[in-house]
Structures are given as C-alpha cells and as structure tokens.
C-alpha cells in the first residue's frame, strides 16, 4: 500500500474510533458531577490522552491542541482550582467543537477561528496557556460560517458512530462498504497502566468488523428464503418417501400375482431374479430415504442457526442511542433550573438496526416530557419532602422475543381531572365524554394528537406533538405503549416492541383457504368458544377468559372477508395489545413457526389496513402477517358505546345489583351518558340509601338476596316521600310474564340486559326525566 493510501485508511479509522471515544468522554465529563467523579476523571483523562496522541501522529494539530487544553481543565478541576460545574460546561462545549473537527479533517489539520476561541476558553478556565497553532485558517467569504462555540448542540442527537464491536453500517465518511480489519492507532505517550485496557480494546477489535447494513439486510432475507426452501426440501423428502412406499406396495402385489400364475420354468427363473432385484431396490430406496431425511434435517437445523446468527448480527446495543441521553438530559434540565439524575440499566441489550432510529425518537420525546412535565423544581420537591434532585430511570429487559423499555420518573405524576379539563378546553372531548372516562382512559388522553397541558409554547413542549408520535412509532413497529402514574409519586411509561423485525415467530391461522399470521408475542392463548362462555357487555358480544370478559370478534368479517362463525365451538386466538385483550374467531390453526418477514409487495397490499407484511410458506403459499395494534384499535372502536349528546342536566342515579360485573358494566354505561352513579348490592341496602339521599333515577336488578327488584319497586312506590323517583328494572328475565310483573309492581320501564344498549337506555332516561 502506498503512503497516501495508508494515510487515508488511517484517517478513516481515526474518525470511527474517535467518534466512539468522544462519546465516552462526554459521558465521563457528565459523571464528574456525581459520586463516581474520581473514576470518571480517570476515564476521561485516559481517553483525552489517547486522542491527543493519535491526533498528533496523524498531523491533526487542532484536535491535539483541543485535547491538550481539555486535559489542563480536567487537571485544574481535580486539583480544586476550577469549579466542577464550570469545568463540565466548557469541556462539553469542547466536545461539540471536537465532533465538528472529526467530520472535517481539513479543519482538524489547520484549525479554525472557532477552534482558536475554544482553546482560549479552555485556557481561561484552567489557567494554563496553550501554545498557538500558528496561522489560523480563516473561513472564506463564500464558505459557510462555522457554528459558534458557546451554544450547546440540540438537546438529543444520535452518536456520530456506534461502537466498533457492533456489526453495523459504516460512518458516512467511509468510501468502502466494508473494512476488513480495524486499524488500531496507538499513542506513543500512553502510560503503562493503560496496557490492560488497551489489550482489552484490541481483543474486541480483533473479533469485530464493520459491515454495510444493506449487506446484513440482504443476508437476512436470503437466510429467511433458505430456511423456507429447506422446509420445502423436508416436504419433498416426505413426498419421496411416500412415492417409494407406493412402489413397494405395487411390487408386493406383483409378487403375489406371480405366485398364483402357473408359468414355464424359464419364466419362473426370470420372476425369481426380478423378485430379488425388487427386494434390493426396496432396501436401497429405504436407505436413500433415511440418508436424505437426515441430510435435510441437518441442513434445516444449520440454516435455522444461520438465520439466528444473522438476526443477532443485526442487533445493535441500545447504548448506541443511550450514550447521548445523559448529556441531553443535563442540557434540558439546566435550561429549566432543575436537577436531574439519569440512571440507565442494561443498555448493552441489542435491538434490530432498522428499529434504532424509531426507538431513539420515541425515547427522545419521553425524556423531554419527563424533564419538562414530570419532574418538579428543586425547591418544590423539597417542600414535598422529596430529594432536590429528580431521578429518571431507563430500564431495559428482554421477555422472549419482545423488548421492554421502561422510562420512570419520580415527579408529580398525572392529574386525571386536569387532563380531562385540558381535553375539554382544547375541544378534543365534550364535557359529557370527559366525565365518562375512567382513570386509565383519562391518562391515555396524552396520546391524542394536539394534546398538551402546556398553556404556552416553548422550545421543549406546548405544541401537542410528542406522545402521539411515541405511540405511532412504537405501534408501527408492532409494539405497544403502557402508562402507569401516581399523582405526586411519578410516572412510568413502558414501551413493548419486538427485538428484531427480520425473523419473527408467528402463529399461523386459517381463514377459509388462506393463511394469516399473528406475532406469537401478541398471542396470549388459543381456545374453543363454548356457548356458555359467551356474554354481552354494553350490547357487545364477549367471552369469559381467565375470569374476565374479553371482546369476541370474528376475524374474517373484521378484515373484510367472507365468513364468520360457522362452528358451534369455533376456534379463537386471544391476543393482547397493551392492557387490552380480544378473542379473534378464526376457521382453524395451522402451525407456529419462525418466518422471514418481508414488506408487502404489490399495490393491492401496500398500505392496506391490518397488514404488517408477508411470509413465504414451504407449500408455496404466501401468509399475510397481521398488525395486531391496528386490529385492536378497530376492536376498541367497535366495543366503545356511542356517547349521546349532553343531557339537559346531570342526574344522580342509584344502581342496584348484586353482581359486581353487572354493576361495573351498567355503571359505565350510565356514566357514558354524563350522569353520576351510586351503587347498592341488594334491595334492602338501596331502600336505606333512598331514605337518607336524594336520587333522580333508580336502576334495579330483579334477582337479588334480602329484597328482590319487584319487592323493592313496590316498597318505593308505596313510600310517599320517594314514590315520584322513576324506577327502571334491568333484568335478564325476558318473558312477557316477568315484564308484566315488573310493571304491576310500579316500575316505570322494564329493560332486558341482553338487549341493553346506550341508545335504548338514553331514550328511557330522557323519557322518564
């Protein structure tokens, strides 16, 4: 290799390695303000020293000069000559300038006016003069002016280059898609005690290369196709064995016929030779089938292992994204005069490279919200008995094929009543709709587009764009978002999403003659729907699953296909998205397997609702993979009762029923109409409440202990003080005789629970009140 080519190669490698080193320096500088300051200072000093040596070897004088000036600041801070906060601020600004120089190596050789100003700022803080570079290159008039040194960079950005230990796409400055072997650039001035760390770094470098991510994508698709083809080979092997079995049976028939036929001796000898050949052919065929089957199984196992390794190679440590967050959170908190400690756990867990940008964007919004909306000021926290420094914790864990990322803060939590009022003020909901929301539904208002609790727009928030972006990005990846919040204690937001999109374990189901797939991570159970398990909630069909009512939906009609429930006990798949469950009725189950997911091909599937992709099957068919978040959104829309127009006034309703589930469902129905609800477990308790409280309407069941609904109605209508209160009987008893008994007892209306809907109930209440 000629000298010029070698120099270019070393400069490219320097850009990659130094980008990683700069990220470590920034993390260490931020740690100077924590209890681990001593260890952090040692790490930063070592990285700066190595960067300085490498830069000087390659003639990058500006980088070397900045690293030397930063070393002086670090030394002054350790000796107590400079305040930690001042040193941290100026060194972080120096990191921004170094990042620009790494991308512009021409400026790194000669320096710029920005570099000169940054060196002066570092020298003023440290009190150590730094020798000048000599003539400083001034930017040409036609060239774009360099950015100022003082302002920090935008709040959150991805690192310049991910760690070299991860197989990934090359940095933009690379010309070749692949670097065969990382070149380690060592500083001659490195200390002896750095040897173990250097040896460890070299060991990692020797076991890693940088690969163009497009190559990995192609390998992933190829591995998936080979896996399908090997499955087809197994199918063909089975078919071959069946063909040989048919030939064997045909030979046996031939031999039996030959034994019954009287033939001359010479022909008989020929038949004996044919019989011997037939037995040999049968033995050879058996051995071939066995060897071929063993070979196909071995090949399939190896290809499955290859597909797993390719999928693993596509995983990039989340630290690639997370390493930028401590600096970003510190900058945001400083603009708001807040103190924040960011704790990150298990950042070395990997995520599919293609998902990295979406995961980063989602976490950016969550961290901004946590600092801006969640955490209180230091003074307010101390008044509440909390530590002055707020804490944000990011936890990562893997559950099967799913990745769980929790962002938890110990801030003010969410005030559901305030959320409802904000939604009303922004005309996202009517007052009646807001009043009918449960606590969980009120919290989920934060995912509405345009929703924000900030009255004034700032650089961080107030535009109503944030949490809806998080939800949309996560659900696009086939994941879900969950929120838990306790007022005054804090909020935890959980992102649940697949770890890899290349290969996915799916449950294959049948709808008619077609095969559809659902991510196995979203499948809770498979079951047969028995008639006794069915029920109605809000007039919507449901099934009891693990003791709880779960929406029951025929998947075929929901997807716009023909068919529906054609069995007495139809098969169903119970799926989960966030905290919601649904039982999807299908025509049958096919299998559970790992498939290579491909984007939808052709205009007829591209952009179609409920569809996430396709996968090839070994029998030549194409399985359509369903997008469970879209399906659950439609199920929720179908199950949600239509809210009526605001009533003339808000009624106080007494609901009487001995069943907790019935009280919960009927109470929610009444609240959806904008009325308040109080409950009683039987007629005796209801009558006592009526004596001491004022109600506008009474809804009562019939079959209850102590005092049934008919007897309660007669007693109410026989008491002059409460006789004018309208009484509606809600009962599962639907015979004409039962209805007549209810009206004879004095009920003003009789509604059957199985036929109960929000419209029928609203009409009855309006008529009676």
């Amino acid at each position: 290799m000629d000298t010029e080519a070698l120099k270019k190669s070393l400069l490219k490698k320097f850009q990659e390695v130094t980008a990683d080193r700069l990220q470590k320096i920034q993390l260490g500088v931020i740690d100077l303000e924590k209890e681990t300051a001593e260890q952090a200072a040692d790490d930063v000093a070592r990285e700066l020293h190595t960067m300085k040596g490498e830069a000087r070897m390659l003639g990058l004088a500006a980088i070397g000069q900045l690293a030397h000036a930063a070393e002086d600041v670090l030394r002054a801070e350790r000796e107590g000559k400079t305040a930690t906060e001042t040193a941290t601020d100026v060194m972080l600004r120096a990191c921004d300038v170094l990042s620009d120089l790494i991308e512009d190596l021409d400026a790194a050789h000669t320096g710029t006016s920005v570099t000169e100003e940054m060196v002066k700022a570092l020298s003023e803080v440290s009190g150590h003069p730094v020798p000048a570079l000599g003539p400083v290159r001034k930017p040409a008039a036609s060239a774009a002016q360099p950015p100022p040194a003082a302002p920090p960079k935008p709040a959150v950005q991805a690192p310049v280059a991910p760690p070299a230990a991860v197989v990934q796409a090359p940095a933009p400055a690379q010309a070749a898609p692949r670097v065969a072997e990382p070149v380690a650039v060592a500083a001659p001035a490195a200390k002896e005690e750095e040897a173990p760390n250097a040896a460890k770094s070299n060991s990692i470098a020797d076991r890693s290369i940088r690969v163009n991510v497009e190559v990995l994508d192609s390998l992933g698709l190829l591995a998936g196709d080979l896996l399908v083809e090997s499955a087809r080979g197994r199918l063909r092997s089975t078919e071959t064995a069946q063909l040989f079995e048919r030939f064997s049976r045909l030979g046996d028939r031939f031999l039996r016929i030959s034994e019954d036929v009287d033939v001359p001796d010479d022909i008989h000898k020929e038949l004996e030779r044919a019989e011997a050949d037939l037995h040999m052919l049968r033995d050879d065929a058996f051995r071939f089938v066995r060897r071929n089957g063993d070979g196909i199984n071995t090949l399939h196992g190896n290809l499955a292992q290859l597909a797993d390794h390719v999928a693993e190679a596509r995983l990039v440590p989340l630290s690639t994204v997370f390493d930028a967050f401590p600096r970003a959170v510190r900058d945001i908190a400083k603009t708001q005069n807040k103190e924040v400690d960011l704790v990150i756990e298990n950042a070395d867990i990997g995520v599919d490279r293609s998902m990295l940008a979406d995961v980063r964007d989602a976490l950016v919004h969550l961290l901004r919200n946590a600092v801006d909306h969640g955490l209180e000021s230091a003074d307010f926290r101390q008044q509440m008995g909390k530590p002055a420094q707020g804490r944000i914790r990011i936890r990562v864990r893997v559950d099967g094929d799913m990745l769980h990322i929790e962002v938890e803060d110990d801030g003010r939590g969410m005030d559901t009543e305030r959320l409802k009022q904000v939604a009303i003020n922004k005309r996202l909901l009517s007052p009646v709709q807001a009043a009918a929301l449960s606590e969980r539904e009120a919290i989920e208002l934060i995912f509405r587009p345009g929703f924000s609790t900030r009255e004034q727009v700032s650089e961080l928030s107030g535009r109503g764009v944030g949490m809806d972006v998080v939800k949309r990005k996560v659900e696009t990846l086939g994941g879900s978002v969950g929120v838990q919040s306790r007022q005054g204690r804090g909020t935890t937001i959980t992102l649940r999403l697949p770890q890899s999109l290349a290969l996915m374990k799916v449950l294959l189901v049948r709808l008619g003659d077609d095969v559809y797939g659902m991510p196995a991570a979203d499948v809770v159970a498979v079951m047969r729907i028995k008639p006794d398990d069915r029920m109605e909630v809000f007039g919507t069909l449901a099934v009891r699953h693990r003791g709880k009512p779960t929406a029951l939906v025929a998947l075929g009609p929901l997807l716009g296909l023909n068919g529906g429930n054609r069995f007495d006990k139809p098969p169903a798949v119970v799926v989960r998205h966030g905290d919601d469950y649904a039982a999807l009725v299908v025509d049958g189950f096919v299998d559970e397997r790992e498939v290579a997911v491909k984007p939808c091909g052709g205009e007829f599937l591209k952009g179609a609702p409920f569809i996430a992709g396709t996968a090839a099957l070994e029998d030549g068919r194409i399985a359509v993979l369903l997008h469970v978040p879209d399906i659950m959104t439609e199920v929720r829309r179908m199950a949600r009762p239509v809210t009526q127009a605001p009533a003339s006034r808000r009624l106080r309703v007494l609901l009487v029923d001995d069943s907790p589930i019935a009280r919960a469902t009927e109470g929610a129905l009444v609240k959806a109409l904008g009325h308040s609800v109080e409950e009683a477990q039987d007629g005796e308790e209801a009558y006592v409440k009526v004596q001491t409280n004022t109600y506008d309407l009474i809804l009562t069941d019939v079959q209850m202990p102590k005092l049934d609904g008919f007897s309660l109605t007669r007693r109410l209508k026989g008491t002059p003080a409460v006789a004018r209160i309208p009484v509606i009987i809600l009962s599962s008893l639907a015979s004409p005789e039962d209805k007549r008994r209810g009206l004879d007892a004095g009920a003003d209306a009789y509604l059957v629970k199985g036929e109960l809907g929000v419209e029928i109930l609203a009409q009855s209440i309006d008529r009676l009140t």
Side-chain angles (χ1 to χ4, degrees):
M1 179 182 290
D2 61 82
T3 305
E4 189 64 27
L6 175 61
K7 183 179 180 181
K8 288 183 179 179
S9 175
L10 291 175
L11 287 174
K12 289 177 184 176
K13 181 50 58 182
F14 176 80
Q15 286 181 308
E16 297 169 9
V17 174
T18 306
D20 299 338
R21 179 166 288 120
L22 187 60
Q23 194 65 56
K24 294 178 184 177
I25 290 172
Q26 291 192 71
L27 293 174
V29 169
I30 294 172
D31 286 341
L32 292 177
E33 300 175 331
K34 300 181 180 180
E35 296 178 357
T36 56
E38 189 66 28
Q39 180 62 41
D42 291 340
D43 295 339
V44 172
R46 183 169 56 251
E47 297 293 344
L48 284 173
H49 188 73
T50 306
M51 180 192 294
K52 180 177 69 174
E54 292 174 349
R56 287 178 173 175
M57 284 183 62
L58 296 174
L60 305 176
I63 293 179
Q65 186 187 42
L66 269 175
H68 181 73
E71 280 185 304
D72 289 340
V73 172
L74 181 62
R75 188 179 303 111
E77 190 275 334
R78 298 181 76 172
E79 294 173 357
K81 299 178 181 179
T82 301
T84 300
E85 184 176 358
T86 303
T88 301
D89 288 340
V90 72
M91 290 182 71
L92 288 176
R93 285 163 48 199
C95 288
D96 293 339
V97 177
L98 283 169
S99 178
D100 293 335
L101 291 177
I102 291 170
E103 295 181 10
D104 184 1
L105 293 183
D106 290 337
H109 280 95
T110 59
T112 67
S113 58
V114 176
T115 308
E116 186 180 47
E117 292 173 6
M118 192 70 252
V119 170
K120 289 181 180 179
L122 291 168
S123 300
E124 290 174 0
V125 173
S126 66
H128 289 76
V130 178
L133 284 172
V136 178
R137 185 187 69 174
K138 299 295 182 181
S142 59
Q145 292 297 320
K153 290 202 167 188
V156 178
Q157 60 181 8
V160 177
V166 181
V167 179
Q168 54 166 17
Q174 288 178 290
R178 186 192 300 257
V179 178
E181 182 178 354
V183 181
V185 184
K191 298 179 182 179
E192 292 183 3
E193 56 267 24
E194 296 173 12
N197 291 321
K200 182 179 179 181
S201 177
N202 289 337
S203 175
I204 294 174
D206 291 342
R207 293 183 287 106
S208 64
I209 60 174
R210 292 181 182 267
V211 178
N212 192 320
V213 73
E214 294 178 358
V215 175
L216 279 179
D217 289 340
S218 299
L219 284 175
L221 292 175
L222 182 61
D225 290 341
L226 289 174
L227 201 57
V228 172
E229 190 58 41
S230 70
R232 289 173 180 165
R234 296 172 74 176
L235 185 61
R236 288 193 294 268
S237 177
T238 303
E239 292 173 348
T240 303
Q242 293 172 348
L243 286 174
F244 282 136
E245 184 65 26
R246 290 173 60 188
F247 277 115
S248 179
R249 290 196 300 267
L250 185 61
D252 291 339
R253 289 177 60 189
F254 170 74
L255 293 176
R256 285 195 299 269
I257 292 173
S258 66
E259 291 174 355
D260 296 337
V261 177
D262 188 13
V263 295
D265 290 343
D266 55 340
I267 298 179
H268 185 71
K269 290 180 180 179
E270 288 293 330
L271 288 175
E272 288 180 346
R273 284 195 291 271
E275 180 180 358
D277 289 342
L278 187 61
H279 285 305
M280 290 178 61
L281 178 62
R282 180 184 295 171
D283 291 342
D284 290 343
F286 173 76
R287 284 192 290 270
F288 168 77
V289 169
R290 186 177 61 186
R291 289 196 304 269
N292 185 60
D294 292 343
I296 289 291
N297 289 333
T298 301
L299 175 63
H300 187 76
N302 290 338
L303 288 174
Q305 191 174 11
L306 171 64
D308 289 340
H309 287 328
V310 171
E312 185 178 354
R314 288 172 54 91
L315 300 182
V316 180
L318 282 168
S319 57
T320 304
V321 170
F322 288 178
D323 284 351
F325 289 162
R327 165 80 184 276
V329 168
R330 180 185 183 275
D331 289 344
I332 296 173
K334 194 169 183 180
T335 61
Q336 299 193 356
N337 295 320
K338 294 181 180 179
E339 299 178 19
V340 182
D341 178 26
L342 177 63
V343 179
I344 301 177
E345 299 177 3
N346 299 328
D348 56 339
I349 291 178
V351 66
D352 196 302
R353 178 67 177 81
S354 61
M355 299 166 55
L356 201 61
D358 287 331
V359 172
R360 180 193 63 226
D361 292 346
L363 289 174
V364 165
H365 288 296
L366 294 184
L367 289 174
R368 284 176 174 170
N369 278 355
V371 176
D372 190 31
H373 294 280
L375 296 180
E376 312 93 334
S377 64
D379 294 340
F380 186 82
R381 290 178 63 88
Q382 289 179 328
Q383 292 175 10
M384 298 295 293
K386 294 182 178 182
Q389 186 181 57
R391 169 166 291 190
I392 299 175
R393 187 187 302 272
I394 301 179
R395 294 191 188 94
V396 185
R397 63 183 176 88
V398 176
D399 182 9
D401 295 332
M402 300 300 287
L403 190 69
H404 291 252
I405 304 177
E406 293 182 359
V407 180
E408 172 191 322
D409 67 71
D410 63 349
R412 59 173 56 90
M414 297 186 188
D415 184 347
T416 55
E417 292 302 321
R418 182 172 179 237
L419 294 177
K420 293 179 184 180
Q421 189 58 49
V422 169
I424 294 172
N425 295 341
K426 293 182 177 292
R427 297 185 179 180
L428 299 175
L429 291 176
S430 68
V432 173
Q433 291 173 319
L437 294 180
S438 65
E439 181 177 353
R440 176 191 161 197
E441 290 171 332
I443 290 177
E444 289 182 348
L445 287 171
I446 64 176
F447 297 116
R448 293 282 190 99
F451 185 91
S452 176
T453 55
R454 277 281 183 268
E455 296 179 359
Q456 295 181 347
V457 176
S458 67
E459 293 184 2
L460 291 178
S461 60
R463 298 170 179 82
V465 178
M467 294 305 298
D468 63 313
V469 174
V470 173
K471 191 171 189 291
R472 185 170 61 252
K473 284 185 177 294
V474 173
E475 290 188 350
T476 300
L477 298 173
S480 62
V481 183
V483 182
Q484 291 182 332
S485 184
R486 295 178 62 186
Q487 192 169 350
R489 301 291 295 275
T491 300
T492 301
I493 298 179
T494 304
L495 310 183
R496 182 176 180 267
L497 62 165
Q499 191 174 15
S500 175
L501 296 180
L503 292 175
M504 183 182 296
K505 187 175 291 184
V506 299
L507 174 67
L508 298 177
V509 300
R510 184 171 49 81
L511 292 174
D513 296 328
D514 297 322
V515 178
Y516 291 80
M518 302 180 196
D522 295 328
V523 176
V524 177
V526 295
M527 60 188 303
R528 289 274 180 179
I529 305 297
K530 300 177 182 178
D532 294 342
D533 291 337
R534 303 185 189 193
M535 63 181 69
E536 286 196 11
V537 180
F538 295 162
T540 301
L541 191 62
V543 63
R544 191 181 303 279
H545 174 65
R546 297 178 181 173
K548 296 181 179 180
T550 302
L552 182 64
V553 179
L555 184 58
L558 185 143
L559 298 177
L561 306 174
N562 295 327
N565 182 7
R566 297 180 292 178
F567 309 97
D568 293 334
K569 298 179 180 179
V573 182
V574 181
V575 295
R576 172 194 175 189
H577 176 63
D579 296 326
D580 295 318
Y581 294 80
L584 305 177
V585 177
V586 297
D587 292 337
F589 305 118
V590 178
D591 194 7
E592 183 184 51
R593 68 187 63 177
E594 196 168 48
V595 298
V597 181
K598 295 186 178 181
C600 298
E603 294 299 325
F604 69 102
L605 280 181
K606 192 175 298 182
F610 313 124
I611 296 178
T614 60
L617 303 179
E618 65 270 19
D619 58 2
R621 290 185 293 177
I622 299 296
V624 177
L625 303 182
L626 300 176
H627 192 243
V628 173
D630 285 352
I631 291 176
M632 291 302 299
T633 299
E634 182 65 15
V635 169
R636 285 194 297 268
R637 188 192 66 78
M638 295 166 57
R640 185 180 295 117
V642 181
T643 304
Q644 302 298 306
S648 57
R649 63 192 180 96
R650 182 182 176 92
L651 304 178
R652 189 178 185 186
V653 180
L654 177 63
L655 177 60
V656 191
D657 202 309
D658 62 325
S659 168
I661 294 179
R663 290 200 305 272
T665 55
E666 294 162 3
L669 200 60
V670 175
K671 291 177 182 177
L673 297 174
H675 307 305
S676 64
V677 178
E678 292 188 18
E679 298 178 0
Q681 298 183 12
D682 55 60
E684 195 69 48
E685 181 184 352
Y687 189 75
V688 172
K689 285 193 171 187
V690 169
Q691 305 303 313
T692 56
N693 298 291
T694 302
Y695 298 101
D696 300 303
L697 179 71
I698 297 174
L699 303 177
T700 179
D701 187 24
V702 171
Q703 297 173 319
M704 296 181 295
K706 295 185 180 179
L707 189 66
D708 63 30
F710 294 149
S711 301
L712 171 63
T713 303
R714 281 194 292 267
R715 185 179 295 185
L716 290 172
K717 294 302 180 180
T719 305
V722 296
R724 288 189 176 185
I725 302 176
V727 177
I728 298 178
I729 290 180
L730 300 177
S731 176
S732 56
L733 303 176
S735 67
E737 292 79 8
D738 291 320
K739 292 182 180 179
R740 189 181 306 110
R741 288 179 60 197
L743 297 176
D744 290 344
D748 298 277
Y750 191 108
L751 302 179
V752 179
K753 288 184 177 181
E755 302 172 355
L756 184 64
V758 67
E759 294 182 1
I760 296 175
L761 182 59
Q763 291 172 0
S764 300
I765 293 177
D766 289 344
R767 177 175 59 84
L768 296 176
T769 60

